[in-house]
Structures are given as structure tokens and as C-alpha cells.
PDB file of all heavy atoms in Angstrom:
ATOM      1  N   GLY B 190     153.817  66.528 125.113  1.00  0.00           N
ATOM      2  CA  GLY B 190     154.194  65.587 126.182  1.00  0.00           C
ATOM      3  C   GLY B 190     155.238  66.191 127.174  1.00  0.00           C
ATOM      4  O   GLY B 190     155.598  65.593 128.099  1.00  0.00           O
ATOM      5  N   VAL B 191     155.491  67.493 126.975  1.00  0.00           N
ATOM      6  CA  VAL B 191     156.503  68.179 127.793  1.00  0.00           C
ATOM      7  C   VAL B 191     155.841  69.278 128.615  1.00  0.00           C
ATOM      8  O   VAL B 191     156.222  69.500 129.783  1.00  0.00           O
ATOM      9  CB  VAL B 191     157.674  68.693 126.970  1.00  0.00           C
ATOM     10  CG1 VAL B 191     158.666  69.518 127.769  1.00  0.00           C
ATOM     11  CG2 VAL B 191     158.321  67.633 126.189  1.00  0.00           C
ATOM     12  N   PHE B 192     154.903  70.124 127.992  1.00  0.00           N
ATOM     13  CA  PHE B 192     154.375  71.263 128.597  1.00  0.00           C
ATOM     14  C   PHE B 192     152.956  70.993 128.919  1.00  0.00           C
ATOM     15  O   PHE B 192     152.233  70.298 128.111  1.00  0.00           O
ATOM     16  CB  PHE B 192     154.561  72.475 127.752  1.00  0.00           C
ATOM     17  CG  PHE B 192     156.031  72.917 127.652  1.00  0.00           C
ATOM     18  CD1 PHE B 192     156.837  72.501 126.716  1.00  0.00           C
ATOM     19  CD2 PHE B 192     156.564  73.752 128.729  1.00  0.00           C
ATOM     20  CE1 PHE B 192     158.198  72.945 126.563  1.00  0.00           C
ATOM     21  CE2 PHE B 192     157.865  74.122 128.698  1.00  0.00           C
ATOM     22  CZ  PHE B 192     158.713  73.714 127.659  1.00  0.00           C
ATOM     23  N   ASP B 193     152.495  71.715 129.947  1.00  0.00           N
ATOM     24  CA  ASP B 193     151.003  71.576 130.310  1.00  0.00           C
ATOM     25  C   ASP B 193     150.209  72.712 129.651  1.00  0.00           C
ATOM     26  O   ASP B 193     148.893  72.587 129.624  1.00  0.00           O
ATOM     27  CB  ASP B 193     150.901  71.668 131.775  1.00  0.00           C
ATOM     28  CG  ASP B 193     151.694  70.620 132.511  1.00  0.00           C
ATOM     29  OD1 ASP B 193     151.422  69.406 132.247  1.00  0.00           O
ATOM     30  OD2 ASP B 193     152.573  70.976 133.362  1.00  0.00           O
ATOM     31  N   ALA B 194     150.847  73.715 129.244  1.00  0.00           N
ATOM     32  CA  ALA B 194     150.125  74.920 128.726  1.00  0.00           C
ATOM     33  C   ALA B 194     151.115  75.690 127.810  1.00  0.00           C
ATOM     34  O   ALA B 194     152.288  75.651 127.988  1.00  0.00           O
ATOM     35  CB  ALA B 194     149.513  75.781 129.729  1.00  0.00           C
ATOM     36  N   ILE B 195     150.499  76.356 126.840  1.00  0.00           N
ATOM     37  CA  ILE B 195     151.258  77.234 126.009  1.00  0.00           C
ATOM     38  C   ILE B 195     150.577  78.647 126.100  1.00  0.00           C
ATOM     39  O   ILE B 195     149.355  78.824 125.935  1.00  0.00           O
ATOM     40  CB  ILE B 195     151.187  76.840 124.495  1.00  0.00           C
ATOM     41  CG1 ILE B 195     151.949  75.487 124.338  1.00  0.00           C
ATOM     42  CG2 ILE B 195     151.835  77.895 123.614  1.00  0.00           C
ATOM     43  CD1 ILE B 195     151.766  74.887 122.919  1.00  0.00           C
ATOM     44  N   VAL B 196     151.481  79.668 126.252  1.00  0.00           N
ATOM     45  CA  VAL B 196     151.075  81.068 126.168  1.00  0.00           C
ATOM     46  C   VAL B 196     151.803  81.575 124.890  1.00  0.00           C
ATOM     47  O   VAL B 196     153.011  81.495 124.784  1.00  0.00           O
ATOM     48  CB  VAL B 196     151.462  81.845 127.386  1.00  0.00           C
ATOM     49  CG1 VAL B 196     151.211  83.366 127.131  1.00  0.00           C
ATOM     50  CG2 VAL B 196     150.764  81.334 128.649  1.00  0.00           C
ATOM     51  N   ILE B 197     151.001  82.064 123.900  1.00  0.00           N
ATOM     52  CA  ILE B 197     151.584  82.442 122.640  1.00  0.00           C
ATOM     53  C   ILE B 197     151.100  83.828 122.204  1.00  0.00           C
ATOM     54  O   ILE B 197     149.932  84.162 122.265  1.00  0.00           O
ATOM     55  CB  ILE B 197     151.296  81.421 121.518  1.00  0.00           C
ATOM     56  CG1 ILE B 197     152.033  81.811 120.210  1.00  0.00           C
ATOM     57  CG2 ILE B 197     149.793  81.269 121.363  1.00  0.00           C
ATOM     58  CD1 ILE B 197     152.015  80.684 119.135  1.00  0.00           C
ATOM     59  N   ASN B 198     152.078  84.674 121.849  1.00  0.00           N
ATOM     60  CA  ASN B 198     151.811  85.869 121.128  1.00  0.00           C
ATOM     61  C   ASN B 198     152.483  85.638 119.724  1.00  0.00           C
ATOM     62  O   ASN B 198     153.673  85.803 119.573  1.00  0.00           O
ATOM     63  CB  ASN B 198     152.462  87.089 121.819  1.00  0.00           C
ATOM     64  CG  ASN B 198     152.215  88.386 121.037  1.00  0.00           C
ATOM     65  OD1 ASN B 198     151.847  88.436 119.885  1.00  0.00           O
ATOM     66  ND2 ASN B 198     152.405  89.508 121.776  1.00  0.00           N
ATOM     67  N   PRO B 199     151.661  85.295 118.741  1.00  0.00           N
ATOM     68  CA  PRO B 199     152.266  84.968 117.435  1.00  0.00           C
ATOM     69  C   PRO B 199     152.696  86.206 116.598  1.00  0.00           C
ATOM     70  O   PRO B 199     153.139  86.019 115.473  1.00  0.00           O
ATOM     71  CB  PRO B 199     151.116  84.218 116.780  1.00  0.00           C
ATOM     72  CG  PRO B 199     150.021  84.073 117.699  1.00  0.00           C
ATOM     73  CD  PRO B 199     150.233  85.106 118.789  1.00  0.00           C
ATOM     74  N   GLY B 200     152.499  87.383 117.165  1.00  0.00           N
ATOM     75  CA  GLY B 200     152.838  88.565 116.376  1.00  0.00           C
ATOM     76  C   GLY B 200     152.103  88.613 115.076  1.00  0.00           C
ATOM     77  O   GLY B 200     150.927  88.277 115.021  1.00  0.00           O
ATOM     78  N   GLY B 201     152.783  88.955 114.001  1.00  0.00           N
ATOM     79  CA  GLY B 201     152.064  89.083 112.729  1.00  0.00           C
ATOM     80  C   GLY B 201     151.536  87.799 112.239  1.00  0.00           C
ATOM     81  O   GLY B 201     150.667  87.782 111.359  1.00  0.00           O
ATOM     82  N   TYR B 202     152.067  86.672 112.653  1.00  0.00           N
ATOM     83  CA  TYR B 202     151.550  85.315 112.274  1.00  0.00           C
ATOM     84  C   TYR B 202     150.206  85.101 112.824  1.00  0.00           C
ATOM     85  O   TYR B 202     149.474  84.184 112.315  1.00  0.00           O
ATOM     86  CB  TYR B 202     152.509  84.252 112.643  1.00  0.00           C
ATOM     87  CG  TYR B 202     153.796  84.231 111.930  1.00  0.00           C
ATOM     88  CD1 TYR B 202     154.973  84.036 112.600  1.00  0.00           C
ATOM     89  CD2 TYR B 202     153.911  84.413 110.600  1.00  0.00           C
ATOM     90  CE1 TYR B 202     156.274  84.126 111.994  1.00  0.00           C
ATOM     91  CE2 TYR B 202     155.112  84.440 109.869  1.00  0.00           C
ATOM     92  CZ  TYR B 202     156.248  84.322 110.626  1.00  0.00           C
ATOM     93  OH  TYR B 202     157.444  84.267 109.974  1.00  0.00           O
ATOM     94  N   THR B 203     149.696  85.861 113.730  1.00  0.00           N
ATOM     95  CA  THR B 203     148.358  85.791 114.238  1.00  0.00           C
ATOM     96  C   THR B 203     147.306  85.727 113.171  1.00  0.00           C
ATOM     97  O   THR B 203     146.428  84.984 113.164  1.00  0.00           O
ATOM     98  CB  THR B 203     148.066  86.977 115.203  1.00  0.00           C
ATOM     99  OG1 THR B 203     148.952  87.028 116.182  1.00  0.00           O
ATOM    100  CG2 THR B 203     146.662  86.946 115.778  1.00  0.00           C
ATOM    101  N   HIS B 204     147.561  86.687 112.202  1.00  0.00           N
ATOM    102  CA  HIS B 204     146.616  86.960 111.174  1.00  0.00           C
ATOM    103  C   HIS B 204     146.819  86.201 109.787  1.00  0.00           C
ATOM    104  O   HIS B 204     146.071  86.270 108.936  1.00  0.00           O
ATOM    105  CB  HIS B 204     146.629  88.398 110.842  1.00  0.00           C
ATOM    106  CG  HIS B 204     146.831  89.311 112.046  1.00  0.00           C
ATOM    107  ND1 HIS B 204     145.888  89.383 113.083  1.00  0.00           N
ATOM    108  CD2 HIS B 204     147.811  89.919 112.481  1.00  0.00           C
ATOM    109  CE1 HIS B 204     146.328  90.128 114.077  1.00  0.00           C
ATOM    110  NE2 HIS B 204     147.606  90.427 113.741  1.00  0.00           N
ATOM    111  N   THR B 205     147.929  85.353 109.821  1.00  0.00           N
ATOM    112  CA  THR B 205     148.317  84.704 108.595  1.00  0.00           C
ATOM    113  C   THR B 205     148.583  83.231 108.710  1.00  0.00           C
ATOM    114  O   THR B 205     148.613  82.505 107.715  1.00  0.00           O
ATOM    115  CB  THR B 205     149.505  85.382 108.002  1.00  0.00           C
ATOM    116  OG1 THR B 205     150.626  85.214 108.875  1.00  0.00           O
ATOM    117  CG2 THR B 205     149.310  86.842 107.661  1.00  0.00           C
ATOM    118  N   SER B 206     148.848  82.657 109.824  1.00  0.00           N
ATOM    119  CA  SER B 206     149.441  81.365 109.870  1.00  0.00           C
ATOM    120  C   SER B 206     148.422  80.235 110.327  1.00  0.00           C
ATOM    121  O   SER B 206     148.168  79.943 111.454  1.00  0.00           O
ATOM    122  CB  SER B 206     150.601  81.363 110.893  1.00  0.00           C
ATOM    123  OG  SER B 206     151.191  80.051 110.921  1.00  0.00           O
ATOM    124  N   VAL B 207     148.020  79.558 109.255  1.00  0.00           N
ATOM    125  CA  VAL B 207     147.211  78.303 109.425  1.00  0.00           C
ATOM    126  C   VAL B 207     148.141  77.206 109.998  1.00  0.00           C
ATOM    127  O   VAL B 207     147.813  76.436 110.751  1.00  0.00           O
ATOM    128  CB  VAL B 207     146.637  77.891 108.111  1.00  0.00           C
ATOM    129  CG1 VAL B 207     145.977  76.505 108.237  1.00  0.00           C
ATOM    130  CG2 VAL B 207     145.614  78.946 107.656  1.00  0.00           C
ATOM    131  N   ALA B 208     149.492  77.366 109.694  1.00  0.00           N
ATOM    132  CA  ALA B 208     150.458  76.315 110.106  1.00  0.00           C
ATOM    133  C   ALA B 208     150.648  76.317 111.692  1.00  0.00           C
ATOM    134  O   ALA B 208     150.636  75.368 112.250  1.00  0.00           O
ATOM    135  CB  ALA B 208     151.857  76.574 109.421  1.00  0.00           C
ATOM    136  N   ILE B 209     150.579  77.560 112.286  1.00  0.00           N
ATOM    137  CA  ILE B 209     150.706  77.644 113.654  1.00  0.00           C
ATOM    138  C   ILE B 209     149.397  77.072 114.353  1.00  0.00           C
ATOM    139  O   ILE B 209     149.418  76.346 115.266  1.00  0.00           O
ATOM    140  CB  ILE B 209     151.065  79.020 114.174  1.00  0.00           C
ATOM    141  CG1 ILE B 209     152.553  79.367 113.705  1.00  0.00           C
ATOM    142  CG2 ILE B 209     150.763  79.213 115.684  1.00  0.00           C
ATOM    143  CD1 ILE B 209     152.939  80.806 113.969  1.00  0.00           C
ATOM    144  N   LEU B 210     148.307  77.492 113.756  1.00  0.00           N
ATOM    145  CA  LEU B 210     146.965  76.998 114.193  1.00  0.00           C
ATOM    146  C   LEU B 210     146.989  75.347 114.153  1.00  0.00           C
ATOM    147  O   LEU B 210     146.615  74.774 115.131  1.00  0.00           O
ATOM    148  CB  LEU B 210     145.822  77.455 113.402  1.00  0.00           C
ATOM    149  CG  LEU B 210     144.463  76.756 113.609  1.00  0.00           C
ATOM    150  CD1 LEU B 210     143.954  77.002 115.015  1.00  0.00           C
ATOM    151  CD2 LEU B 210     143.467  77.301 112.576  1.00  0.00           C
ATOM    152  N   ASP B 211     147.437  74.858 113.055  1.00  0.00           N
ATOM    153  CA  ASP B 211     147.422  73.404 112.826  1.00  0.00           C
ATOM    154  C   ASP B 211     148.336  72.739 113.921  1.00  0.00           C
ATOM    155  O   ASP B 211     147.955  71.642 114.420  1.00  0.00           O
ATOM    156  CB  ASP B 211     147.696  73.019 111.481  1.00  0.00           C
ATOM    157  CG  ASP B 211     146.661  73.331 110.457  1.00  0.00           C
ATOM    158  OD1 ASP B 211     145.551  73.533 110.838  1.00  0.00           O
ATOM    159  OD2 ASP B 211     146.897  73.258 109.273  1.00  0.00           O
ATOM    160  N   ALA B 212     149.445  73.366 114.121  1.00  0.00           N
ATOM    161  CA  ALA B 212     150.434  72.762 115.118  1.00  0.00           C
ATOM    162  C   ALA B 212     149.818  72.772 116.451  1.00  0.00           C
ATOM    163  O   ALA B 212     149.916  71.732 117.275  1.00  0.00           O
ATOM    164  CB  ALA B 212     151.747  73.583 115.108  1.00  0.00           C
ATOM    165  N   LEU B 213     149.174  73.895 116.905  1.00  0.00           N
ATOM    166  CA  LEU B 213     148.419  73.925 118.188  1.00  0.00           C
ATOM    167  C   LEU B 213     147.399  72.852 118.258  1.00  0.00           C
ATOM    168  O   LEU B 213     147.260  72.150 119.335  1.00  0.00           O
ATOM    169  CB  LEU B 213     147.976  75.313 118.444  1.00  0.00           C
ATOM    170  CG  LEU B 213     148.936  76.376 118.690  1.00  0.00           C
ATOM    171  CD1 LEU B 213     148.249  77.790 118.617  1.00  0.00           C
ATOM    172  CD2 LEU B 213     149.694  76.293 119.979  1.00  0.00           C
ATOM    173  N   LYS B 214     146.630  72.695 117.282  1.00  0.00           N
ATOM    174  CA  LYS B 214     145.597  71.737 117.235  1.00  0.00           C
ATOM    175  C   LYS B 214     146.146  70.322 117.358  1.00  0.00           C
ATOM    176  O   LYS B 214     145.626  69.393 117.945  1.00  0.00           O
ATOM    177  CB  LYS B 214     144.649  71.805 116.005  1.00  0.00           C
ATOM    178  CG  LYS B 214     143.835  73.059 116.138  1.00  0.00           C
ATOM    179  CD  LYS B 214     143.162  73.464 114.762  1.00  0.00           C
ATOM    180  CE  LYS B 214     142.206  72.549 114.275  1.00  0.00           C
ATOM    181  NZ  LYS B 214     141.436  72.958 113.040  1.00  0.00           N
ATOM    182  N   ALA B 215     147.306  70.072 116.677  1.00  0.00           N
ATOM    183  CA  ALA B 215     147.880  68.704 116.639  1.00  0.00           C
ATOM    184  C   ALA B 215     148.397  68.322 118.046  1.00  0.00           C
ATOM    185  O   ALA B 215     148.142  67.123 118.385  1.00  0.00           O
ATOM    186  CB  ALA B 215     149.045  68.706 115.696  1.00  0.00           C
ATOM    187  N   VAL B 216     148.941  69.161 118.826  1.00  0.00           N
ATOM    188  CA  VAL B 216     149.547  68.861 120.100  1.00  0.00           C
ATOM    189  C   VAL B 216     148.476  68.874 121.164  1.00  0.00           C
ATOM    190  O   VAL B 216     148.644  68.313 122.260  1.00  0.00           O
ATOM    191  CB  VAL B 216     150.766  69.657 120.506  1.00  0.00           C
ATOM    192  CG1 VAL B 216     151.896  69.497 119.493  1.00  0.00           C
ATOM    193  CG2 VAL B 216     150.368  71.132 120.582  1.00  0.00           C
ATOM    194  N   SER B 217     147.404  69.535 120.937  1.00  0.00           N
ATOM    195  CA  SER B 217     146.255  69.645 121.877  1.00  0.00           C
ATOM    196  C   SER B 217     146.603  70.089 123.279  1.00  0.00           C
ATOM    197  O   SER B 217     146.126  69.639 124.247  1.00  0.00           O
ATOM    198  CB  SER B 217     145.586  68.289 122.038  1.00  0.00           C
ATOM    199  OG  SER B 217     145.014  67.915 120.774  1.00  0.00           O
ATOM    200  N   ILE B 218     147.619  71.058 123.345  1.00  0.00           N
ATOM    201  CA  ILE B 218     147.969  71.596 124.601  1.00  0.00           C
ATOM    202  C   ILE B 218     147.147  72.800 124.869  1.00  0.00           C
ATOM    203  O   ILE B 218     147.007  73.661 123.966  1.00  0.00           O
ATOM    204  CB  ILE B 218     149.554  71.972 124.648  1.00  0.00           C
ATOM    205  CG1 ILE B 218     150.403  70.670 124.348  1.00  0.00           C
ATOM    206  CG2 ILE B 218     149.877  72.707 125.916  1.00  0.00           C
ATOM    207  CD1 ILE B 218     151.820  70.933 124.166  1.00  0.00           C
ATOM    208  N   PRO B 219     146.544  72.986 126.057  1.00  0.00           N
ATOM    209  CA  PRO B 219     145.804  74.164 126.394  1.00  0.00           C
ATOM    210  C   PRO B 219     146.655  75.468 126.053  1.00  0.00           C
ATOM    211  O   PRO B 219     147.826  75.523 126.502  1.00  0.00           O
ATOM    212  CB  PRO B 219     145.418  74.066 127.856  1.00  0.00           C
ATOM    213  CG  PRO B 219     145.577  72.562 128.083  1.00  0.00           C
ATOM    214  CD  PRO B 219     146.574  72.039 127.258  1.00  0.00           C
ATOM    215  N   THR B 220     146.013  76.448 125.321  1.00  0.00           N
ATOM    216  CA  THR B 220     146.749  77.539 124.875  1.00  0.00           C
ATOM    217  C   THR B 220     146.018  78.908 125.169  1.00  0.00           C
ATOM    218  O   THR B 220     144.814  78.952 125.036  1.00  0.00           O
ATOM    219  CB  THR B 220     146.968  77.411 123.295  1.00  0.00           C
ATOM    220  OG1 THR B 220     147.659  76.230 123.040  1.00  0.00           O
ATOM    221  CG2 THR B 220     147.598  78.688 122.712  1.00  0.00           C
ATOM    222  N   ALA B 221     146.762  79.849 125.544  1.00  0.00           N
ATOM    223  CA  ALA B 221     146.284  81.219 125.762  1.00  0.00           C
ATOM    224  C   ALA B 221     146.922  82.079 124.744  1.00  0.00           C
ATOM    225  O   ALA B 221     148.151  82.009 124.495  1.00  0.00           O
ATOM    226  CB  ALA B 221     146.603  81.669 127.210  1.00  0.00           C
ATOM    227  N   GLU B 222     146.169  82.923 124.069  1.00  0.00           N
ATOM    228  CA  GLU B 222     146.736  83.824 123.101  1.00  0.00           C
ATOM    229  C   GLU B 222     146.826  85.221 123.759  1.00  0.00           C
ATOM    230  O   GLU B 222     145.919  85.665 124.421  1.00  0.00           O
ATOM    231  CB  GLU B 222     145.657  83.954 121.899  1.00  0.00           C
ATOM    232  CG  GLU B 222     146.052  85.045 120.830  1.00  0.00           C
ATOM    233  CD  GLU B 222     145.036  85.030 119.732  1.00  0.00           C
ATOM    234  OE1 GLU B 222     144.026  84.302 119.783  1.00  0.00           O
ATOM    235  OE2 GLU B 222     145.268  85.788 118.815  1.00  0.00           O
ATOM    236  N   VAL B 223     148.017  85.838 123.553  1.00  0.00           N
ATOM    237  CA  VAL B 223     148.279  87.119 124.230  1.00  0.00           C
ATOM    238  C   VAL B 223     148.737  88.117 123.171  1.00  0.00           C
ATOM    239  O   VAL B 223     149.490  87.786 122.290  1.00  0.00           O
ATOM    240  CB  VAL B 223     149.318  86.967 125.225  1.00  0.00           C
ATOM    241  CG1 VAL B 223     149.744  88.356 125.866  1.00  0.00           C
ATOM    242  CG2 VAL B 223     148.853  86.100 126.399  1.00  0.00           C
ATOM    243  N   HIS B 224     148.198  89.353 123.331  1.00  0.00           N
ATOM    244  CA  HIS B 224     148.703  90.487 122.508  1.00  0.00           C
ATOM    245  C   HIS B 224     148.871  91.722 123.427  1.00  0.00           C
ATOM    246  O   HIS B 224     147.925  91.959 124.197  1.00  0.00           O
ATOM    247  CB  HIS B 224     147.638  90.805 121.448  1.00  0.00           C
ATOM    248  CG  HIS B 224     147.431  89.660 120.471  1.00  0.00           C
ATOM    249  ND1 HIS B 224     148.332  89.349 119.457  1.00  0.00           N
ATOM    250  CD2 HIS B 224     146.462  88.760 120.398  1.00  0.00           C
ATOM    251  CE1 HIS B 224     147.909  88.321 118.849  1.00  0.00           C
ATOM    252  NE2 HIS B 224     146.748  87.891 119.392  1.00  0.00           N
ATOM    253  N   ILE B 225     149.926  92.366 123.241  1.00  0.00           N
ATOM    254  CA  ILE B 225     150.279  93.508 124.043  1.00  0.00           C
ATOM    255  C   ILE B 225     149.302  94.667 123.748  1.00  0.00           C
ATOM    256  O   ILE B 225     148.741  95.312 124.668  1.00  0.00           O
ATOM    257  CB  ILE B 225     151.780  93.919 123.879  1.00  0.00           C
ATOM    258  CG1 ILE B 225     152.700  92.844 124.357  1.00  0.00           C
ATOM    259  CG2 ILE B 225     152.002  95.227 124.540  1.00  0.00           C
ATOM    260  CD1 ILE B 225     154.170  93.035 123.911  1.00  0.00           C
ATOM    261  N   SER B 226     149.086  94.858 122.541  1.00  0.00           N
ATOM    262  CA  SER B 226     148.142  95.946 122.104  1.00  0.00           C
ATOM    263  C   SER B 226     146.707  95.441 121.957  1.00  0.00           C
ATOM    264  O   SER B 226     146.429  94.190 121.991  1.00  0.00           O
ATOM    265  CB  SER B 226     148.577  96.513 120.798  1.00  0.00           C
ATOM    266  OG  SER B 226     148.397  95.626 119.758  1.00  0.00           O
ATOM    267  N   ASP B 227     145.702  96.290 121.872  1.00  0.00           N
ATOM    268  CA  ASP B 227     144.394  95.860 121.638  1.00  0.00           C
ATOM    269  C   ASP B 227     144.077  95.660 120.169  1.00  0.00           C
ATOM    270  O   ASP B 227     143.679  96.594 119.487  1.00  0.00           O
ATOM    271  CB  ASP B 227     143.375  96.966 122.249  1.00  0.00           C
ATOM    272  CG  ASP B 227     141.958  96.578 122.149  1.00  0.00           C
ATOM    273  OD1 ASP B 227     141.634  95.554 121.666  1.00  0.00           O
ATOM    274  OD2 ASP B 227     141.172  97.382 122.649  1.00  0.00           O
ATOM    275  N   VAL B 228     144.408  94.485 119.674  1.00  0.00           N
ATOM    276  CA  VAL B 228     144.386  94.168 118.206  1.00  0.00           C
ATOM    277  C   VAL B 228     142.967  94.335 117.679  1.00  0.00           C
ATOM    278  O   VAL B 228     142.862  94.718 116.467  1.00  0.00           O
ATOM    279  CB  VAL B 228     144.938  92.796 117.956  1.00  0.00           C
ATOM    280  CG1 VAL B 228     146.413  92.714 118.119  1.00  0.00           C
ATOM    281  CG2 VAL B 228     144.191  91.757 118.720  1.00  0.00           C
TER     282      VAL B 228
END
């Protein structure tokens, strides 16, 4: 209810965090995933 979009670089949590995924799904805010390196 505060932000229109999220840009997230979850770092190491990218590969391990169901909790972050579930939070993103819960708030339903459009999200872009960013990684500095070519993961």
C-alpha cells in the first residue's frame, strides 16, 4: 500500500529464501529481480 514497485537483489537469499518469495507474493507489488553478476 506504500510502493508501486520493488526492485530487489536478494543476494545469497535468491537461491534459498522461500520466505522472501512468499512475502513478495503476499503483497502483490510488481517486482524486478536484479543481480550485478551474470548468475
